[in-house]
Amino acid sequence: MQDVYIIGIGMNKFGKYPLETVRTMAEDVIHQSLNDAGINKEDLEAGFFSNTFWGMFEGQHSIRGQVVFRGMGMDRIPVTNVENACAGASTALHLAYTGVRAGMYDVAIAVGSEKLTNPDKAKSLSAYSSCMDVENYEKQIGLLLDYGKNLEGCHPPEESAPGTGRSVFMDVYAMMTRWHMNKYGTTQRQLAAIASKNHFHSSLNPYAQYQTRMSIDDVLKDSPVTYPLTRSMCAPVGDGAAAVIVCSESFIKKLKKPRPIKILASVHGQGSDRDLDGEDIGERLAKAAYVKAGLGPQDIDLAELHDATAYGELHQSEAMGFCPPGEGGALAESGATTLGGSIPINTSGGLESRGHPIGASGLAQIYEVVTQLRGEAGDRQVIGARIGLAENGGGSIGVEEAAMCIHILEKV
């Protein structure tokens, strides 16, 4: 088995781009990653393309990657289309990694591009429900409502039904948040501390969709979404793209000025049918990733965690082993997850503030970790960063993510 390295990254500023398309954004970040790696498009031996909603919004249901690559004059190479909801981009990287590690390719590219904004806002919001078991959608919502009935602090009766005027995933996260609050005593203020920290981090990130700092009180006073989540605790709707080029060790020797980052672990898994107290997919995959990397949570210098809401970061900080179960809120409140703390989390601003164009988010996490490990993150640089982790979940079935990838990267 070959060791695998990241040699090129590209990303656009996440935001709302009415004049851009999935294709134009993908072309931009592919060019960026090629330039960053110092290679030509002819050097690529395989491509893996992540997108979720191009078919729903524009009718491009099939051959999405081939459309992009052929349009750039890159034909003949194998192109694999990847759809794994919010985990699509990290899954594309996992497949590229797998191909290089197995010796099938010396160099491959993973690309994620997504356009979520639409003149019809309701269409954008309703699209998220396709990241669940559509045939059993009502059953899934009923499950959430049943769990919610047994929790204190349920959403006020005047709130609209789940998925009405907001992504249904906000309701999923809200129910899980209330469960955590009931079981461990987590507070809404701790969630606001996470969101405030991420808005601070994103103010230092030129690629972030939101770049305005918010105090804890600002977050708490923001518009309610579904209790206990306010708007600034939740990821925005937006567009964006990112790309990552990986290669074998032998290919690095062909480069003039390589800046490789080694992939110590790439783990991909599916959720399971469990109850709320069962072993979480994040816990399960994190253990596998640490074994593959030969490390533990204490060795991680920074992490990008999937925080479609502030609770997402809180939960994953526990699942990754950065603190015991029930202490994710206290960890954030202590300042440990802020720049300068013992385990900086989401230095990019995270999904909450950097933005969350579904099919690109996982590679945007990798972009941030690589930038940090190269020592090129500017004002948000984690001093002495050597090991970074990225966790990216996608979709929802039952009480957990349908899919997830975890990557552990090392500065060479």
Coordinates of all heavy atoms in Angstrom, one line a residue, residues 11-15 86 170 173 193-212 231-239 302-314 316 337-339 344-358 360-369 372 380 389-393:
M11 N -10.1 26.6 -3.5 CA -11.4 26.9 -2.9 C -11.9 28.3 -3.2 O -11.0 29.2 -3.4 CB -11.3 26.8 -1.3 CG -12.6 27.1 -0.6 SD -12.4 26.9 1.2 CE -13.9 27.7 1.8
N12 N -13.2 28.5 -3.4 CA -13.6 29.9 -3.6 C -14.3 30.4 -2.3 O -14.5 29.6 -1.4 CB -14.6 30.0 -4.8 CG -16.0 29.3 -4.5 OD1 -16.1 28.5 -3.6 ND2 -17.0 29.6 -5.3
K13 N -14.5 31.7 -2.2 CA -15.2 32.2 -1.1 C -16.6 31.8 -1.1 O -17.3 32.0 -2.1 CB -15.1 33.8 -1.1 CG -15.8 34.5 0.1 CD -15.7 36.0 0.0 CE -16.3 36.7 1.2 NZ -17.8 36.4 1.4
F14 N -17.1 31.1 0.0 CA -18.5 30.7 0.0 C -19.4 31.9 0.1 O -19.1 32.8 0.8 CB -18.7 29.7 1.2 CG -18.1 28.3 0.9 CD1 -17.4 28.0 -0.2 CD2 -18.2 27.4 1.9 CE1 -16.9 26.8 -0.4 CE2 -17.7 26.1 1.7 CZ -17.0 25.8 0.6
G15 N -20.5 31.8 -0.6 CA -21.5 32.9 -0.5 C -22.7 32.7 -1.4 O -23.0 31.5 -1.7
C86 N -24.3 15.8 2.7 CA -23.2 16.8 3.2 C -21.8 16.1 3.2 O -20.9 16.8 3.4 CB -23.6 17.3 4.6 SG -25.3 17.8 4.7
M170 N -32.6 21.5 10.7 CA -32.5 22.4 11.9 C -33.4 21.7 13.0 O -33.1 21.8 14.2 CB -33.0 23.8 11.6 CG -32.1 24.5 10.5 SD -30.3 24.6 11.0 CE -29.6 23.3 10.0
Y173 N -31.5 18.7 14.4 CA -30.4 19.2 15.3 C -31.1 19.7 16.6 O -30.6 19.5 17.7 CB -29.6 20.3 14.7 CG -28.4 19.7 13.9 CD1 -28.4 19.8 12.5 CD2 -27.3 19.2 14.6 CE1 -27.3 19.3 11.8 CE2 -26.2 18.7 13.8 CZ -26.2 18.7 12.4 OH -25.2 18.2 11.7
A193 N -21.9 30.3 22.9 CA -20.5 30.4 23.0 C -19.8 29.8 21.8 O -18.8 30.3 21.3 CB -20.0 29.8 24.3
I194 N -20.3 28.6 21.4 CA -19.7 27.9 20.2 C -19.9 28.8 19.0 O -19.0 29.0 18.2 CB -20.3 26.6 20.0 CG1 -19.9 25.6 21.2 CG2 -20.0 26.0 18.7 CD1 -20.6 24.3 21.2
A195 N -21.1 29.3 18.8 CA -21.4 30.1 17.6 C -20.6 31.4 17.6 O -20.1 31.8 16.5 CB -22.9 30.4 17.5
S196 N -20.5 32.0 18.7 CA -19.8 33.3 18.8 C -18.3 33.0 18.5 O -17.7 33.8 17.7 CB -19.9 33.8 20.2 OG -19.0 35.0 20.4
K197 N -17.7 31.9 19.0 CA -16.4 31.6 18.7 C -16.2 31.4 17.2 O -15.2 31.8 16.6 CB -16.0 30.3 19.4 CG -14.6 29.8 19.2 CD -14.6 28.7 18.1 CE -15.4 27.5 18.5 NZ -15.3 26.4 17.5
N198 N -17.1 30.7 16.5 CA -17.0 30.4 15.1 C -17.2 31.7 14.3 O -16.5 31.9 13.2 CB -18.0 29.4 14.7 CG -17.6 28.0 15.1 OD1 -16.4 27.7 15.3 ND2 -18.5 27.1 15.3
H199 N -18.0 32.6 14.7 CA -18.1 33.9 14.0 C -16.8 34.7 14.2 O -16.4 35.4 13.2 CB -19.3 34.7 14.5 CG -20.6 34.2 13.9 ND1 -21.1 34.6 12.6 CD2 -21.5 33.2 14.3 CE1 -22.2 33.9 12.3 NE2 -22.5 33.1 13.4
F200 N -16.2 34.6 15.3 CA -14.9 35.2 15.5 C -13.8 34.6 14.5 O -13.1 35.3 13.8 CB -14.4 35.1 16.9 CG -12.9 35.4 17.1 CD1 -12.4 36.6 16.9 CD2 -12.0 34.4 17.5 CE1 -11.0 36.9 17.0 CE2 -10.7 34.6 17.7 CZ -10.2 35.9 17.4
H201 N -13.8 33.3 14.5 CA -12.8 32.6 13.6 C -13.1 33.0 12.1 O -12.1 33.3 11.4 CB -12.9 31.1 13.7 CG -12.3 30.6 15.0 ND1 -12.5 29.3 15.4 CD2 -11.6 31.2 16.0 CE1 -11.8 29.1 16.5 NE2 -11.3 30.2 16.9
S202 N -14.3 33.1 11.7 CA -14.6 33.4 10.3 C -14.3 34.8 10.0 O -14.1 35.1 8.8 CB -16.1 33.1 10.0 OG -17.0 34.0 10.6
S203 N -14.3 35.7 11.0 CA -13.9 37.1 10.7 C -12.4 37.2 10.2 O -12.0 38.2 9.7 CB -14.1 38.0 11.9 OG -13.2 37.7 12.9
L204 N -11.7 36.1 10.5 CA -10.3 36.1 10.1 C -10.0 35.3 8.8 O -8.9 35.1 8.4 CB -9.4 35.5 11.2 CG -9.6 36.1 12.6 CD1 -8.8 35.3 13.7 CD2 -9.1 37.5 12.6
N205 N -11.1 34.7 8.3 CA -11.0 33.9 7.1 C -11.6 34.5 5.9 O -12.9 34.7 5.8 CB -11.8 32.6 7.4 CG -11.7 31.6 6.2 OD1 -11.0 31.8 5.2 ND2 -12.4 30.5 6.3
P206 N -10.8 34.9 4.9 CA -11.3 35.6 3.7 C -12.2 34.7 2.8 O -12.9 35.3 1.9 CB -10.0 36.0 2.9 CG -9.0 35.0 3.4 CD -9.3 34.8 4.9
Y207 N -12.3 33.4 3.1 CA -13.1 32.5 2.3 C -14.5 32.3 2.9 O -15.3 31.5 2.4 CB -12.4 31.2 2.0 CG -11.2 31.3 1.1 CD1 -9.9 31.5 1.5 CD2 -11.4 31.3 -0.3 CE1 -8.9 31.7 0.7 CE2 -10.4 31.4 -1.2 CZ -9.1 31.6 -0.7 OH -8.0 31.7 -1.6
A208 N -14.7 32.9 4.1 CA -15.9 32.6 4.8 C -17.1 33.4 4.3 O -17.0 34.6 3.9 CB -15.7 32.9 6.3
Q209 N -18.3 32.8 4.3 CA -19.5 33.5 3.9 C -19.9 34.6 4.8 O -20.3 35.7 4.4 CB -20.7 32.5 3.8 CG -22.0 33.1 3.3 CD -23.0 32.0 2.9 OE1 -22.6 30.8 2.7 NE2 -24.2 32.3 2.7
Y210 N -19.7 34.4 6.1 CA -20.0 35.4 7.1 C -18.7 35.8 7.7 O -17.9 35.0 8.1 CB -20.9 34.9 8.2 CG -22.3 34.6 7.8 CD1 -23.1 33.8 8.6 CD2 -22.9 35.2 6.7 CE1 -24.4 33.5 8.3 CE2 -24.2 34.9 6.4 CZ -25.0 34.1 7.1 OH -26.3 33.8 6.8
Q211 N -18.4 37.1 7.9 CA -17.2 37.6 8.4 C -17.4 38.7 9.5 O -16.5 39.5 9.7 CB -16.3 38.2 7.3 CG -15.9 37.1 6.3 CD -15.0 37.6 5.2 OE1 -14.7 38.7 5.1 NE2 -14.7 36.7 4.2
T212 N -18.6 38.6 10.1 CA -18.9 39.6 11.2 C -18.8 38.9 12.5 O -19.4 37.8 12.7 CB -20.3 40.1 11.0 OG1 -20.4 40.7 9.7 CG2 -20.7 41.2 12.0
R231 N -30.6 31.9 14.7 CA -30.1 32.0 13.3 C -28.6 31.8 13.2 O -28.1 31.1 12.4 CB -30.6 33.3 12.6 CG -30.1 33.4 11.2 CD -30.7 34.6 10.5 NE -30.5 35.8 11.3 CZ -31.0 37.0 11.1 NH1 -31.8 37.2 10.0 NH2 -30.7 38.1 11.8
S232 N -27.9 32.6 14.1 CA -26.4 32.5 14.0 C -25.8 31.3 14.6 O -24.6 31.1 14.5 CB -25.8 33.8 14.7 OG -26.5 34.0 15.9
M233 N -26.6 30.4 15.1 CA -26.2 29.1 15.5 C -26.3 28.1 14.4 O -25.9 26.9 14.5 CB -27.0 28.5 16.7 CG -26.8 29.3 18.0 SD -27.9 28.5 19.2 CE -27.8 29.7 20.5
C234 N -26.8 28.5 13.2 CA -27.1 27.6 12.1 C -26.4 27.9 10.8 O -26.2 29.1 10.6 CB -28.6 27.6 11.9 SG -29.7 27.2 13.3
A235 N -26.0 26.9 10.1 CA -25.3 27.1 8.8 C -26.3 27.8 7.8 O -27.5 27.5 7.7 CB -24.9 25.8 8.2
P236 N -25.7 28.8 7.0 CA -26.6 29.5 6.1 C -26.7 28.7 4.7 O -25.9 27.8 4.5 CB -25.8 30.8 5.8 CG -24.3 30.3 6.0 CD -24.4 29.3 7.1
V237 N -27.6 29.1 3.9 CA -27.7 28.6 2.6 C -26.7 29.4 1.7 O -26.6 30.6 1.9 CB -29.2 28.8 2.0 CG1 -29.2 28.5 0.5 CG2 -30.2 28.0 2.8
G238 N -26.0 28.7 0.9 CA -25.0 29.3 0.1 C -24.4 28.5 -1.0 O -24.7 27.3 -1.2
D239 N -23.5 29.1 -1.8 CA -22.9 28.4 -3.0 C -21.4 28.3 -2.7 O -20.8 29.1 -2.0 CB -23.1 29.2 -4.2 CG -24.6 29.5 -4.4 OD1 -25.5 28.7 -4.1 OD2 -24.9 30.7 -4.9
L302 N -5.6 20.6 15.8 CA -6.8 21.4 15.4 C -7.8 20.5 14.7 O -7.4 19.4 14.2 CB -6.4 22.6 14.5 CG -6.0 22.2 13.1 CD1 -6.5 23.2 12.1 CD2 -4.5 22.0 12.9
A303 N -9.0 20.9 14.7 CA -10.1 20.0 14.1 C -11.1 20.9 13.4 O -11.5 22.0 13.9 CB -10.7 19.1 15.1
E304 N -11.5 20.4 12.2 CA -12.7 20.9 11.5 C -13.8 19.9 11.7 O -13.7 18.8 11.2 CB -12.4 21.2 10.0 CG -11.5 22.3 9.8 CD -12.2 23.7 10.0 OE1 -13.2 23.9 9.3 OE2 -11.7 24.5 10.8
L305 N -14.9 20.3 12.4 CA -16.0 19.4 12.7 C -17.3 19.9 12.0 O -17.5 21.1 11.8 CB -16.2 19.4 14.2 CG -15.0 18.9 15.1 CD1 -15.4 18.8 16.5 CD2 -14.4 17.6 14.6
H306 N -18.1 18.9 11.7 CA -19.3 19.2 11.0 C -20.3 19.9 11.9 O -21.0 19.2 12.7 CB -19.9 17.9 10.4 CG -21.0 18.1 9.4 ND1 -20.8 18.1 8.1 CD2 -22.3 18.3 9.6 CE1 -21.9 18.3 7.4 NE2 -22.9 18.5 8.4
D307 N -20.5 21.2 11.7 CA -21.3 22.0 12.6 C -22.4 22.7 11.8 O -22.5 23.9 11.8 CB -20.5 23.0 13.4 CG -19.8 24.0 12.5 OD1 -19.4 23.6 11.4 OD2 -19.7 25.2 12.8
A308 N -23.3 21.9 11.2 CA -24.5 22.5 10.5 C -25.3 23.4 11.5 O -26.0 24.3 11.1 CB -25.4 21.5 9.9
T309 N -25.1 23.1 12.8 CA -25.6 24.0 13.9 C -24.5 23.9 15.0 O -23.6 23.1 15.0 CB -26.9 23.5 14.5 OG1 -26.7 22.3 15.2 CG2 -28.0 23.3 13.5
A310 N -24.6 24.8 15.9 CA -23.6 24.8 17.0 C -23.6 23.5 17.8 O -22.6 23.1 18.3 CB -23.9 26.0 18.0
Y311 N -24.8 22.9 17.9 CA -24.8 21.6 18.6 C -24.0 20.6 17.8 O -23.4 19.7 18.5 CB -26.3 21.1 18.7 CG -26.3 19.7 19.3 CD1 -26.0 19.5 20.6 CD2 -26.6 18.6 18.5 CE1 -25.9 18.2 21.2 CE2 -26.5 17.3 19.0 CZ -26.2 17.1 20.3 OH -26.2 15.8 20.8
G312 N -23.9 20.6 16.5 CA -23.1 19.7 15.8 C -21.7 19.7 16.2 O -21.1 18.7 16.4
E313 N -21.1 20.9 16.4 CA -19.7 21.0 16.9 C -19.6 20.4 18.4 O -18.7 19.7 18.7 CB -19.2 22.4 16.9 CG -17.8 22.5 17.5 CD -17.3 23.9 17.5 OE1 -17.4 24.6 16.4 OE2 -16.8 24.4 18.5
L314 N -20.6 20.8 19.2 CA -20.6 20.3 20.6 C -20.6 18.8 20.6 O -19.7 18.2 21.3 CB -21.8 20.9 21.3 CG -22.0 20.6 22.8 CD1 -22.8 21.7 23.5 CD2 -22.6 19.2 23.1
Q316 N -19.8 16.6 18.2 CA -18.7 16.0 17.6 C -17.4 16.2 18.4 O -16.5 15.3 18.3 CB -18.5 16.5 16.1 CG -19.6 16.1 15.2 CD -19.9 14.6 15.1 OE1 -19.0 13.8 15.4 NE2 -21.1 14.2 14.6
T337 N -11.5 25.6 22.7 CA -11.7 25.4 21.3 C -11.5 26.7 20.4 O -11.7 26.6 19.2 CB -13.1 24.8 21.0 OG1 -14.1 25.8 21.5 CG2 -13.3 23.5 21.8
T338 N -11.1 27.7 21.1 CA -10.9 29.0 20.4 C -9.4 29.1 20.0 O -8.5 28.4 20.6 CB -11.2 30.2 21.3 OG1 -12.6 30.1 21.8 CG2 -11.1 31.5 20.6
L339 N -9.1 29.8 19.0 CA -7.7 30.1 18.6 C -6.9 30.4 19.9 O -7.3 31.3 20.7 CB -7.6 31.2 17.6 CG -7.8 30.8 16.2 CD1 -7.9 32.1 15.3 CD2 -6.6 30.0 15.6
P344 N -8.1 24.0 19.2 CA -8.9 24.9 18.3 C -9.8 24.1 17.4 O -9.3 23.2 16.7 CB -7.8 25.7 17.6 CG -6.6 25.6 18.4 CD -6.6 24.2 19.0
I345 N -11.0 24.4 17.4 CA -12.0 23.8 16.5 C -12.7 24.7 15.6 O -13.1 25.8 15.9 CB -13.1 23.0 17.4 CG1 -12.5 21.9 18.2 CG2 -14.2 22.5 16.5 CD1 -13.4 21.2 19.1
N346 N -12.8 24.4 14.3 CA -13.4 25.2 13.3 C -12.7 26.6 13.2 O -13.4 27.6 13.2 CB -14.9 25.2 13.5 CG -15.6 23.9 13.2 OD1 -15.1 23.1 12.3 ND2 -16.7 23.7 13.8
T347 N -11.4 26.6 12.9 CA -10.7 27.8 12.7 C -11.2 28.5 11.5 O -10.9 29.7 11.3 CB -9.2 27.6 12.7 OG1 -8.9 26.6 11.7 CG2 -8.7 27.2 14.1
S348 N -11.8 27.8 10.6 CA -12.3 28.4 9.3 C -13.6 29.2 9.6 O -14.0 30.0 8.8 CB -12.7 27.3 8.3 OG -13.8 26.5 8.8
G349 N -14.2 29.0 10.7 CA -15.6 29.5 11.0 C -16.6 28.4 11.0 O -17.7 28.6 11.4
G350 N -16.2 27.2 10.5 CA -17.1 26.1 10.4 C -18.3 26.3 9.5 O -18.4 27.3 8.8
L351 N -19.1 25.3 9.4 CA -20.3 25.4 8.5 C -21.2 26.6 8.9 O -21.8 27.2 8.1 CB -21.1 24.1 8.5 CG -20.6 22.9 7.7 CD1 -19.2 22.5 8.1 CD2 -21.5 21.7 7.8
E352 N -21.3 26.8 10.2 CA -22.1 27.9 10.7 C -21.8 29.2 10.1 O -22.7 30.1 9.9 CB -22.0 28.0 12.2 CG -22.5 26.9 13.1 CD -21.9 27.0 14.5 OE1 -22.4 27.9 15.2 OE2 -21.1 26.2 14.9
S353 N -20.5 29.5 9.9 CA -20.1 30.8 9.5 C -19.3 30.9 8.2 O -19.4 31.8 7.5 CB -19.3 31.4 10.7 OG -19.3 32.8 10.7
R354 N -18.4 29.9 8.0 CA -17.7 29.8 6.7 C -18.7 29.5 5.6 O -18.6 29.9 4.5 CB -16.7 28.7 6.7 CG -15.9 28.6 5.4 CD -15.2 27.2 5.2 NE -16.2 26.1 5.1 CZ -16.2 25.0 5.9 NH1 -15.3 24.8 6.8 NH2 -17.2 24.1 5.8
G355 N -19.8 28.7 5.9 CA -20.8 28.4 5.0 C -20.9 26.9 4.7 O -19.9 26.1 5.1
H356 N -22.0 26.5 4.1 CA -22.2 25.0 3.9 C -22.9 24.7 2.6 O -24.0 24.2 2.6 CB -23.1 24.6 5.1 CG -23.3 23.1 5.1 ND1 -22.5 22.1 4.6 CD2 -24.4 22.4 5.6 CE1 -23.0 20.9 4.8 NE2 -24.1 21.0 5.4
P357 N -22.2 24.9 1.5 CA -22.7 24.4 0.2 C -22.5 22.9 0.2 O -21.4 22.4 0.0 CB -21.9 25.1 -0.9 CG -20.6 25.5 -0.1 CD -21.0 25.7 1.3
I358 N -23.5 22.1 0.4 CA -23.5 20.7 0.7 C -22.4 19.9 0.1 O -21.6 19.3 0.7 CB -24.9 20.1 0.3 CG1 -26.0 20.8 1.0 CG2 -24.9 18.6 0.7 CD1 -26.1 20.6 2.5
A360 N -19.7 20.6 -1.3 CA -18.3 21.1 -1.3 C -17.8 21.2 0.2 O -16.5 21.4 0.3 CB -18.3 22.5 -1.9
S361 N -18.6 21.1 1.2 CA -18.2 21.4 2.5 C -17.1 20.5 3.1 O -16.2 21.0 3.7 CB -19.4 21.3 3.5 OG -20.3 22.3 3.2
G362 N -17.1 19.3 2.7 CA -16.1 18.4 3.3 C -14.7 18.7 2.8 O -13.7 18.6 3.5
L363 N -14.6 19.2 1.5 CA -13.3 19.6 1.0 C -12.9 20.9 1.5 O -11.7 21.2 1.6 CB -13.3 19.5 -0.6 CG -13.3 18.1 -1.2 CD1 -13.5 18.1 -2.7 CD2 -12.1 17.3 -0.8
A364 N -13.8 21.8 1.8 CA -13.5 23.1 2.4 C -12.8 22.8 3.8 O -11.9 23.6 4.2 CB -14.7 23.9 2.6
Q365 N -13.3 21.8 4.5 CA -12.7 21.5 5.8 C -11.2 21.1 5.5 O -10.3 21.5 6.3 CB -13.4 20.3 6.4 CG -14.8 20.6 6.9 CD -15.4 19.4 7.6 OE1 -15.3 18.3 7.1 NE2 -16.2 19.6 8.7
I366 N -11.0 20.2 4.5 CA -9.6 19.8 4.2 C -8.8 21.0 3.8 O -7.6 21.1 4.2 CB -9.6 18.7 3.1 CG1 -10.4 17.5 3.5 CG2 -8.2 18.4 2.7 CD1 -9.9 16.8 4.7
Y367 N -9.3 21.9 3.0 CA -8.6 23.1 2.6 C -8.1 23.9 3.9 O -7.0 24.3 3.9 CB -9.5 24.0 1.8 CG -8.9 25.3 1.3 CD1 -8.4 25.3 0.0 CD2 -8.7 26.4 2.1 CE1 -7.8 26.5 -0.5 CE2 -8.1 27.6 1.6 CZ -7.7 27.6 0.3 OH -7.0 28.7 -0.2
E368 N -9.0 24.0 4.9 CA -8.6 24.7 6.1 C -7.5 24.0 6.8 O -6.5 24.6 7.2 CB -9.8 24.9 7.0 CG -9.4 25.6 8.3 CD -9.0 27.0 8.2 OE1 -9.2 27.6 7.2 OE2 -8.5 27.5 9.2
V369 N -7.6 22.7 7.0 CA -6.6 21.9 7.7 C -5.3 21.9 7.0 O -4.2 22.1 7.7 CB -7.1 20.4 8.0 CG1 -6.0 19.6 8.6 CG2 -8.3 20.4 8.8
Q372 N -3.7 25.3 7.5 CA -3.1 25.4 8.8 C -1.8 24.6 9.0 O -0.8 25.1 9.5 CB -4.1 24.9 9.9 CG -5.3 25.8 10.1 CD -5.0 27.0 11.0 OE1 -3.9 27.1 11.5 NE2 -6.0 27.9 11.1
R380 N -5.4 33.6 11.6 CA -6.1 32.5 12.4 C -5.2 31.3 12.5 O -5.7 30.2 12.8 CB -7.4 32.1 11.7 CG -7.3 31.5 10.3 CD -8.6 31.3 9.6 NE -8.5 30.5 8.4 CZ -8.0 30.9 7.3 NH1 -7.7 32.1 7.1 NH2 -7.9 30.1 6.2
L389 N -7.5 17.1 12.1 CA -8.6 16.2 11.9 C -9.7 16.9 11.2 O -10.0 18.1 11.6 CB -9.0 15.5 13.2 CG -10.2 14.6 13.2 CD1 -10.0 13.5 14.3 CD2 -11.5 15.2 13.4
A390 N -10.4 16.2 10.3 CA -11.6 16.8 9.7 C -12.7 15.7 9.8 O -12.5 14.5 9.3 CB -11.4 17.2 8.3
E391 N -13.9 16.0 10.3 CA -15.0 15.1 10.4 C -16.2 15.7 9.7 O -16.5 16.9 9.9 CB -15.4 14.9 11.9 CG -16.7 14.1 12.1 CD -17.9 15.0 12.1 OE1 -17.9 16.1 12.5 OE2 -19.0 14.5 11.5
N392 N -16.8 14.9 8.8 CA -17.8 15.5 7.9 C -18.9 14.4 7.8 O -18.7 13.3 7.3 CB -17.2 15.7 6.5 CG -18.1 16.2 5.4 OD1 -18.0 15.9 4.3 ND2 -19.1 17.1 5.8
G393 N -20.1 14.8 8.2 CA -21.3 13.9 8.2 C -22.2 14.3 7.1 O -22.3 15.4 6.7

